[in-house]
Amino acid sequence: MNGQQMHPNLRKVIENIERVIVGKRKEAILSLTALLAEGHVLIEDVPGVGKTMLVKTLAKSVNATFKRIQFTPDLLPSDVLGVSIYNQKEMEFEFRPGPIMGNIILADEINRTSPKTQSALLEGMEEGNVTVDGYTYNLPKPFFVMATQNPIEYEGTYPLPEAQLDRFLLKMKMGYPTIDEEMEVLTRAHENSTVEKIEPVITVNELIELQEEAKKVFIDETVREYIINIATQTRNHHQLYLGVSPRGSIALMKAAKAYAFLNGRDFVLPDDIQFLAPYILSHRILLRSEAKYEGVTEEEIIFSILTHVKVPIQRFVKR
Amino acid sequence: MVIRKKSLEIFILYTISFLLIWEWLKPLKEIANISNVNVFIFFLLLTFSYYFFNVPIFIRFIANSIYILAVINFLYFQGSFLSGEGIRLFIYSLVTNMKYIFQRDWLAITDSFQTLLFFILLWLLVYLLNYWITVKMRMLYFLLFTILFLAIVDTFFPYNAKYAMIRTFILGFFALGILNYYRLVEKNQLVISMNLKKKWMFILGSVLIFSTTLGIVVPKANPIWPDPVPFIQSYADHHFNTGGGNRIKKVGYGEDDSRLGGPFIQDDTSVFIVNSPEPQYWRVETKDLYTGKGWEKSEEENRALTSFNDSIEMNIARNEFFSEEEQLANVEYVDEVDHIIYPYGIYKLYVSVTDSQFSNGTYEKDDSYDKLYWTDVVPYKYYTSYHPPSYEINQLRNLSKYDLNVTNSFYDRYTQLPDSLPERVKELAIQLTEKEDNRFDKAKAIERYLQSYEFTYDTENVAVPGEDEDYVDQFLFETKTGYCDNFSTSMVVMLRSIGIPARWVKGYTPGEKIGEIDEEYDRYVIKNRNAHSWVEAYLPNIGWVPFEPTKGFENPTDFYYDISQTETEIPENQTAEDPQAPNMNEQDLNQEVEMENEGSQDEQKKESISFSKLLDEYKHHLIGTLIGTSIIIALMYVFRRKWIPYWLIFKYQKDLDHASFARAYMSLLKQLKRFGFAKEDGETLRNFAKRVDKFFNGDDMVQLTLAYERILYRGEEKSEVWNDLREPWIRILKRTK
């Protein structure tokens, strides 16, 4: 972004990621935005485009514990949350925490597992704690889930219900690299430049502080109104079956604050909203079937709404 | 406070304030019968000097109190304060006067107490002025009120505030200029430098001198409104019947016409109230001897006592030209005049004793000049019955072709001209009339010429003929500007010069319609300003026919065309043996004379300077101005892109805060839109700025936008925002023109 310097520590995180993954700066920024906004990310893409690498590098850069859960059709909720085992020596049940008890979790191929197991993870994401055998265990802070899912057309998947999708702050795609980028990927793979080589740039505590600071970013009434106008447009859109819920508006605002903070600003611009809206809103709306047949995507609709809703350029704009 | 105490400027400002208050006090001598204005002026001087020398407040208070008491003591108690008796009296009067105030018995308040109050008022005024000057640095309202006060005093009191007004303007503007300088210095936190001050004072002084000189040099426009005072007075007199006898008379109907010319002031005093069925010209008298400077009477008056019961024979026109229908009008005197006004075709004059009974008294009639006089007292109201005249134009044309058939003495009397009359008057008259074959059309040709655009009606910028100048010659060939006397005298002289007997008639125009009595009768008010003069030409077989040469006036006498009538018979009684009464034969009414043509007469209500006339006269100017203004506005709109930047740069050269920056930024967006750079609805300012900068190859717009974003989306209120951004803002503005 012009004119402003990215937050120095966070810039280092992005640079770290770039050192490992080629040409995924935007995705890195989005992930970091979600992390700062205490939200979770859903990456929808085919395997092998660098999802795991991204999360690993991110976790390493912020010096957070990294856990990975590979979702399979036979995975049980206890495999995610943990289980209480009777300790014969101590004569009592002892809780063995599951892989969810980490700072940064990669939930790989989340749509391959049964809804039961899915919801175990999603509830943890929402509540910030898990309940096993009547005991409630707080999840560590920061808690950041990066879930990946195969595109739903693939066979053997359990698509996530809309209510569950809402739990993710943003949804993004990794996408294939360009030819040049892929050449660079091959070169790096050849030279054995991997995640292990990078160094942490901030501590977990620093990250928590940054999260707190990001909440203090100023968002003007006009910009809030802009968010509401966008959300209202999705609710009235003729190609949409379901528009963005107020929770979606809140998500957009939170993400925008984190994004502004990431960019070294202490106030939100409509530019932030425009940049984030496709990632934050597209998985919160449902297309009408006619629109689906016409091949319209959710992103396209969000983009068209963005070109129509007036950007506030004056205080006290008449409604 | 920027203004230093005891500086030269503060001295000037105090002096000006003092002089301005003095302007308030000056008229008091005349309007409020205050003789000792000087004690107040000295008091003002004293109070201002306390402020100037920064005298401590308690000393100020004590000194002023002593001064006030001393003055009151001197004026009302004749020095008895020293004995102590006066102080007791003074305190007693204070108490009683306070009582009067609470009882709201304003008239009972004594003079000494009023003086005390007036001193306190002045004291307050000085305090306020000091506050306005040193703290507020504003004086405009005080100045405005001073001017308003002077204007009112000048209008309603004998006090002439002309020079007071000029003084007030010059002093006031000087003070405003100085105060504005200090306001600017304070607002913009400028360092007062001697250089800047000198420059400012120099410019201020030059502008003042220039505008004052210009004001003195340029010609002054005439007042748009007539003096309202006579109107208010006559209105008050009429309604409250105060009768008021000691008014200053302005110009109206005068007896002496021996030296005509020069300006006169429009006088709105009402003279008569008339109830009549139609608007008509009111005759008073005629005059026959033109001297080259004015009108006189060639022979002795020939008065004869007439009874109210007698019918009047006016030597105007033959009876056949007067309608058979008798009409009645009544005339009420409003102002103190004694002449009798009567309509054309007057038949009888009455004065009513009671509502139903008419007086049997008499009045005098002067046959030589058609003037009526009251024998003893001027009645409050009189009636006149009359047969309104009406002339068929073709008949007039035909009849006026014949020989005059008048006696030599008659012809000589009404074609008299002074020897000194320049030949060119006659030449002009011949030139105007040579194409016409009858006297009526000749007269009409002269009338038309005088009514034409070559002449201007004006009551103020009218010349008086010099010793060796002729009144008519001067008007016709030099000034071409004048009022009714100029026009009518000129026409009479021109008619006479071509051998048509003519005389000069004095009287009043119909006046102003002020209401309707019933379906038939209307009510008119005739004012002094309606005094008028016109022309009567003697046409053979017809008699005296009125003409109206004065520009903007129209005689409501009925002239009409009878289409059915092509050839008019000459009445049997062709010769007018007796020129004094050419229309004697009452039985000889020509049956062909048509009754009045109503339609042509209805709307002929003419006022000397009625608004519609004025509008008509300046119609072309008005339309031209309108079209010009519209074109200018249209051009300004079309080329707004070119000039708006300069206006904006001018507009935002001061008032530099964040809000003005926001406004300036929005104005820039609008200007860019006019230039062709419209921001899309969904486009953020930043993206728009990048687009603009890419086009202009710079980064000005992004700079401005970053600052504006902070104001708009961050709510920042830094007034120094302008400092670095003024130049980029001006750069873009200039590129868009």
Side-chain angles (χ1 to χ4, degrees):
Chain A
M1 275 289 170
N2 242 344
Q4 272 111 359
Q5 289 295 313
M6 205 178 252
H7 191 282
N9 281 345
L10 297 172
R11 193 180 72 230
K12 282 182 201 154
V13 176
I14 302 290
E15 279 167 1
N16 260 348
I17 296 173
E18 280 198 306
R19 211 168 290 150
V20 179
I21 309 163
V22 182
K24 293 284 175 264
R25 186 182 171 87
K26 192 167 80 182
E27 286 72 16
I29 287 173
L30 282 170
S31 312
L32 198 52
T33 303
L35 179 60
L36 282 171
E38 297 179 46
H40 307 286
V41 177
L42 178 64
I43 304 175
E44 185 180 85
D45 225 324
V46 289
V49 286
K51 293 174 289 198
T52 317
M53 289 285 266
L54 177 67
V55 185
K56 267 189 178 170
T57 322
L58 188 62
K60 185 118 194 233
S61 299
V62 299
N63 204 11
T65 53
F66 171 70
K67 295 275 176 60
R68 177 188 173 140
I69 311 168
Q70 179 67 51
F71 284 83
T72 53
D74 57 354
L75 200 75
L76 292 172
S78 58
D79 295 333
V80 176
L81 304 176
V83 65
S84 297
I85 296 168
Y86 186 70
N87 187 332
Q88 286 185 324
K89 209 190 264 172
E90 302 280 327
M91 302 282 280
E92 59 184 7
F93 280 95
E94 186 184 283
F95 179 63
R96 289 278 177 87
I100 198 171
M101 295 293 175
N103 290 127
I104 291 181
I105 316 286
L106 174 65
D108 222 358
E109 294 184 292
I110 189 172
N111 58 344
R112 276 200 179 278
T113 194
S114 61
K116 187 168 72 174
T117 315
Q118 281 173 1
S119 62
L121 172 73
L122 295 167
E123 261 177 59
M125 282 160 55
E126 183 68 15
E127 310 293 335
N129 54 51
V130 292
T131 307
V132 179
D133 297 335
Y135 289 97
T136 301
Y137 303 96
N138 280 332
L139 293 171
K141 277 200 167 185
F143 179 65
F144 176 64
V145 176
M146 212 169 203
T148 73
Q149 71 172 358
N150 292 330
I152 37 178
E153 294 82 15
Y154 283 67
E155 278 179 33
T157 57
Y158 299 92
L160 285 169
E162 281 68 45
Q164 310 281 41
L165 278 175
D166 224 19
R167 308 273 160 85
F168 290 98
L169 181 69
L170 57 86
K171 186 179 110 170
M172 63 185 189
K173 286 186 171 132
M174 291 296 277
Y176 292 112
T178 62
I179 292 173
D180 287 346
E181 283 168 359
E182 196 158 358
M183 181 62 82
E184 178 68 24
V185 171
L186 292 186
T187 311
R188 286 189 191 177
H190 176 66
E191 287 168 359
N192 210 9
S193 147
T194 52
V195 187
E196 280 69 37
K197 281 189 178 173
I198 64 161
E199 295 295 324
V201 285
I202 49 171
T203 64
V204 170
N205 283 337
E206 279 171 343
L207 178 66
I208 292 171
E209 272 173 33
L210 291 174
Q211 283 178 339
E212 289 305 313
E213 279 182 50
K215 283 179 192 162
K216 290 175 193 156
V217 166
F218 178 79
I219 177 160
D220 190 73
E221 198 186 332
T222 56
V223 184
R224 276 179 279 169
E225 200 176 299
Y226 181 53
I227 294 175
I228 293 165
N229 288 343
I230 293 171
T232 315
Q233 285 288 310
T234 64
R235 289 166 206 165
N236 300 330
H237 200 279
H238 66 283
Q239 283 176 316
L240 291 184
Y241 174 67
L242 180 73
V244 173
S245 61
R247 195 197 311 199
S249 304
I250 294 171
L252 185 52
M253 183 176 79
K254 275 165 90 177
K257 284 160 89 169
Y259 182 72
F261 182 74
L262 179 61
N263 281 295
R265 245 184 293 114
D266 62 347
F267 61 98
V268 177
L269 289 179
D271 301 76
D272 303 335
I273 309 291
Q274 288 201 347
F275 174 74
L276 291 171
Y279 305 107
I280 293 180
L281 302 182
S282 60
H283 64 286
R284 294 169 198 269
I285 56 177
L286 278 182
L287 291 175
R288 285 186 189 278
S289 25
E290 304 94 282
K292 272 187 208 161
Y293 298 143
E294 285 167 19
V296 180
T297 65
E298 288 91 342
E299 284 86 352
E300 280 168 8
I301 287 175
I302 298 293
F303 277 125
S304 87
I305 287 173
L306 285 179
T307 57
H308 289 117
V309 177
K310 278 188 184 169
V311 176
I313 55 166
Q314 245 176 321
R315 207 161 277 266
F316 313 121
V317 183
K318 281 177 195 151
R319 277 163 198 266
Chain B
M1 210 186 296
V2 203
I3 305 182
R4 271 183 307 118
K5 285 273 174 188
K6 293 185 192 176
S7 66
L8 176 66
E9 288 78 30
I10 202 86
F11 178 73
I12 294 173
L13 285 173
Y14 279 154
T15 312
I16 290 174
S17 319
F18 165 70
L19 292 173
L20 287 180
I21 304 183
W22 197 351
E23 297 294 352
W24 286 76
L25 294 179
K26 275 176 190 164
L28 291 183
K29 214 176 230 171
E30 287 174 62
I31 62 173
N33 293 324
I34 295 174
S35 48
N36 279 304
V37 176
N38 291 337
V39 299
F40 298 115
I41 291 168
F42 191 72
F43 177 75
L44 278 181
L45 213 54
L46 216 59
T47 319
F48 271 116
S49 58
Y50 297 151
Y51 279 108
F52 181 66
F53 294 110
N54 221 350
V55 176
I57 190 154
F58 68 97
I59 297 181
R60 245 185 262 180
F61 184 78
I62 290 169
N64 266 354
S65 307
I66 290 174
Y67 178 80
I68 294 170
L69 287 179
V71 168
I72 292 173
N73 172 36
F74 173 73
L75 289 178
Y76 300 103
F77 299 94
Q78 274 77 36
S80 53
F81 269 25
L82 296 172
S83 63
E85 176 67 9
I87 295 173
R88 204 185 59 79
L89 276 174
F90 179 69
I91 292 168
Y92 175 74
S93 85
L94 278 190
V95 174
T96 41
N97 278 304
M98 289 308 282
K99 205 167 67 193
Y100 293 143
I101 287 179
F102 284 109
Q103 290 167 350
R104 285 189 276 182
D105 189 0
W106 309 119
L107 295 176
I109 295 171
T110 61
D111 285 351
S112 61
F113 191 68
Q114 287 182 16
T115 309
L116 176 70
L117 289 181
F118 193 65
F119 269 120
I120 293 171
L121 184 73
L122 286 179
W123 200 343
L124 282 174
L125 197 57
V126 175
Y127 171 81
L128 270 179
L129 268 170
N130 179 57
Y131 175 76
W132 284 330
I133 291 170
T134 54
V135 181
K136 282 273 163 191
M137 295 181 231
R138 283 174 196 280
M139 241 173 78
L140 184 63
Y141 287 115
F142 179 66
L143 187 61
L144 282 180
F145 276 109
T146 310
I147 290 164
L148 192 67
F149 168 76
L150 288 174
I152 290 171
V153 165
D154 185 58
T155 311
F156 294 99
F157 295 93
Y159 182 76
N160 183 354
K162 185 178 167 191
Y163 293 102
M165 202 67 113
I166 295 171
R167 284 194 298 269
T168 305
F169 266 99
I170 295 174
L171 291 174
F173 282 131
F174 193 56
L176 288 183
I178 296 174
L179 289 173
N180 192 35
Y181 165 76
Y182 283 107
R183 266 211 318 281
L184 286 179
V185 165
E186 189 190 57
K187 194 175 179 190
N188 301 328
Q189 309 280 309
L190 297 176
V191 183
I192 304 179
S193 73
M194 212 50 210
N195 202 12
L196 181 68
K197 205 190 282 183
K198 269 184 198 157
K199 268 189 205 161
W200 182 274
M201 294 304 157
F202 176 73
I203 292 170
L204 178 62
S206 327
V207 168
L208 263 179
I209 291 168
F210 173 73
S211 53
T212 311
T213 321
L214 195 72
I216 292 169
V217 170
V218 292
K220 315 289 183 294
N222 301 322
I224 297 167
W225 294 324
D227 189 357
V229 178
F231 171 75
I232 295 170
Q233 275 178 350
S234 72
Y235 186 83
D237 288 351
H238 189 62
H239 283 266
F240 306 110
N241 252 334
T242 52
N246 52 358
R247 277 196 307 276
I248 305 152
K249 270 223 176 102
K250 297 213 174 174
V251 171
Y253 189 91
E255 302 288 328
D256 182 12
D257 305 301
S258 58
R259 292 195 77 84
L260 296 174
F264 72 79
I265 302 159
Q266 292 287 15
D267 182 358
D268 270 325
T269 314
S270 303
V271 192
F272 302 103
I273 303 269
V274 171
N275 293 336
S276 73
E278 304 285 353
Q280 58 204 323
Y281 268 27
W282 295 88
R283 242 167 153 243
V284 176
E285 62 181 329
T286 63
K287 293 213 171 168
D288 57 354
L289 181 73
Y290 177 64
T291 61
K293 306 280 182 236
W295 288 96
E296 282 171 13
K297 293 180 176 177
S298 65
E299 53 187 58
E300 283 299 300
E301 287 184 3
N302 181 17
R303 292 201 199 181
L305 217 56
T306 315
S307 161
F308 286 134
N309 298 324
D310 299 341
S311 59
I312 298 176
E313 302 293 351
M314 274 295 170
N315 46 4
I316 297 174
R318 293 164 66 99
N319 281 346
E320 67 219 50
F321 295 100
F322 293 94
S323 80
E324 277 182 90
E325 189 192 357
E326 183 168 302
Q327 294 193 337
L328 192 72
N330 68 58
V331 179
E332 289 168 42
Y333 283 101
V334 180
D335 202 16
E336 294 194 334
V337 294
D338 53 6
H339 49 265
I340 299 172
I341 58 169
Y342 58 89
Y344 271 88
I346 181 170
Y347 181 61
K348 275 182 180 174
L349 190 70
Y350 317 91
V351 171
S352 63
V353 180
T354 62
D355 281 345
S356 53
Q357 192 194 345
F358 288 110
S359 161
N360 288 320
T362 54
Y363 58 95
E364 285 178 75
K365 175 173 174 288
D366 170 32
D367 277 340
S368 299
Y369 298 101
D370 292 348
K371 191 164 183 180
L372 305 177
Y373 297 92
W374 298 116
T375 4
D376 27 62
V377 288
V378 178
Y380 159 67
K381 180 180 186 178
Y382 63 90
Y383 297 83
T384 159
S385 66
Y386 62 102
H387 300 272
S390 95
Y391 304 93
E392 203 282 317
I393 289 170
N394 284 324
Q395 193 186 18
L396 290 178
R397 281 182 177 149
N398 291 327
L399 291 178
S400 66
K401 280 178 191 164
Y402 293 86
D403 287 342
L404 275 171
N405 268 328
V406 290
T407 60
N408 282 342
S409 66
F410 177 89
Y411 184 80
D412 290 344
R413 183 180 169 192
Y414 290 113
T415 53
Q416 167 274 339
L417 285 172
D419 294 336
S420 59
L421 183 77
E423 195 58 23
R424 57 179 177 173
V425 176
K426 186 179 178 182
E427 281 163 11
L428 175 69
I430 292 171
Q431 185 202 327
L432 289 173
T433 57
E434 60 191 354
K435 284 179 187 162
E436 313 296 343
D437 64 344
N438 63 76
R439 292 184 182 80
F440 175 74
D441 281 334
K442 281 178 197 280
K444 275 285 166 200
I446 295 171
E447 188 190 65
R448 249 196 325 275
Y449 174 68
L450 290 167
Q451 288 261 13
S452 73
Y453 63 90
E454 289 200 32
F455 295 91
T456 310
Y457 184 89
D458 194 335
T459 56
E460 302 215 352
N461 300 313
V462 180
V464 183
E467 239 358 85
D468 48 355
E469 277 181 303
D470 184 89
Y471 178 68
V472 168
D473 183 70
Q474 185 193 39
F475 173 69
L476 284 178
F477 297 102
E478 280 161 35
T479 61
K480 297 199 173 191
T481 300
Y483 44 91
C484 55
D485 289 348
N486 298 78
F487 288 93
S488 55
T489 307
S490 300
M491 181 163 174
V492 172
V493 168
M494 281 203 275
L495 285 171
R496 286 180 174 191
S497 71
I498 56 169
I500 298 173
R503 63 187 181 187
W504 192 61
V505 191
K506 290 174 68 185
Y508 290 87
T509 60
E512 191 180 319
K513 184 170 168 180
I514 52 171
E516 289 174 10
I517 307 296
D518 51 34
E519 279 183 15
E520 199 182 348
Y521 281 87
D522 290 330
R523 197 168 168 82
Y524 299 89
V525 60
I526 296 175
K527 298 174 174 176
N528 261 333
R529 56 181 291 171
N530 298 124
H532 190 46
S533 63
W534 61 96
V535 177
E536 281 176 5
Y538 184 81
L539 301 179
N541 308 313
I542 300 160
W544 294 102
V545 176
F547 290 90
E548 179 49 274
T550 306
K551 189 162 186 179
F553 285 73
E554 201 169 333
N555 191 332
T557 305
D558 186 24
F559 289 92
Y560 68 98
Y561 278 104
D562 184 1
I563 299 153
S564 67
Q565 185 180 353
T566 48
E567 187 71 26
T568 314
E569 292 292 315
I570 306 162
E572 288 158 41
N573 192 358
Q574 286 187 8
T575 47
E577 300 90 4
D578 183 0
Q580 297 297 340
N583 50 344
M584 289 298 253
N585 200 343
E586 227 175 310
Q587 278 73 42
D588 190 23
L589 283 170
N590 192 332
Q591 297 302 310
E592 287 171 35
V593 174
E594 295 292 316
M595 292 302 289
E596 289 178 17
N597 186 345
E598 297 284 340
S600 68
Q601 207 170 346
D602 273 353
E603 287 117 89
Q604 292 180 344
K605 190 167 71 77
K606 290 291 163 184
E607 255 298 280
S608 53
I609 310 187
S610 74
F611 180 66
S612 63
K613 263 281 185 243
L614 207 71
L615 205 67
D616 220 42
E617 209 166 310
Y618 292 102
K619 201 164 68 187
H620 298 293
H621 292 82
L622 267 177
I623 292 172
T625 315
L626 267 178
I627 292 174
T629 318
S630 322
I631 289 174
I632 289 171
I633 289 172
L635 282 177
M636 280 179 77
Y637 182 76
V638 170
F639 293 107
R640 64 197 189 284
R641 207 183 90 201
K642 301 281 177 198
W643 58 265
I644 283 181
Y646 291 104
W647 182 74
L648 287 174
I649 290 169
F650 172 76
K651 185 178 167 190
Y652 290 109
Q653 64 187 349
K654 47 182 188 173
D655 185 24
L656 307 168
D657 60 353
H658 70 280
S660 80
F661 177 77
R663 285 196 299 275
Y665 185 86
M666 288 313 293
S667 305
L668 181 60
L669 283 190
K670 278 185 191 154
Q671 173 66 10
L672 282 167
K673 190 174 176 183
R674 281 190 284 271
F675 181 69
F677 261 118
K679 195 187 83 66
E680 309 285 334
D681 275 351
E683 194 175 19
T684 60
L685 289 172
R686 216 170 255 221
N687 292 339
F688 176 68
K690 280 181 200 158
R691 194 151 66 90
V692 170
D693 277 346
K694 200 175 168 192
F695 180 83
F696 287 129
N697 217 349
D699 65 342
D700 294 336
M701 192 65 193
V702 166
Q703 275 188 50
L704 292 168
T705 305
L706 290 179
Y708 182 69
E709 276 177 348
R710 298 194 72 80
I711 291 169
L712 177 61
Y713 302 127
R714 184 69 188 89
E716 238 175 38
E717 299 187 351
K718 280 189 201 154
S719 46
E720 59 267 30
V721 65
W722 269 104
N723 293 352
D724 301 330
L725 297 174
R726 158 163 290 278
E727 281 182 13
W729 181 72
I730 291 177
R731 266 203 296 274
I732 299 183
L733 266 182
K734 285 192 171 167
R735 283 179 175 184
T736 54
K737 61 174 199 260

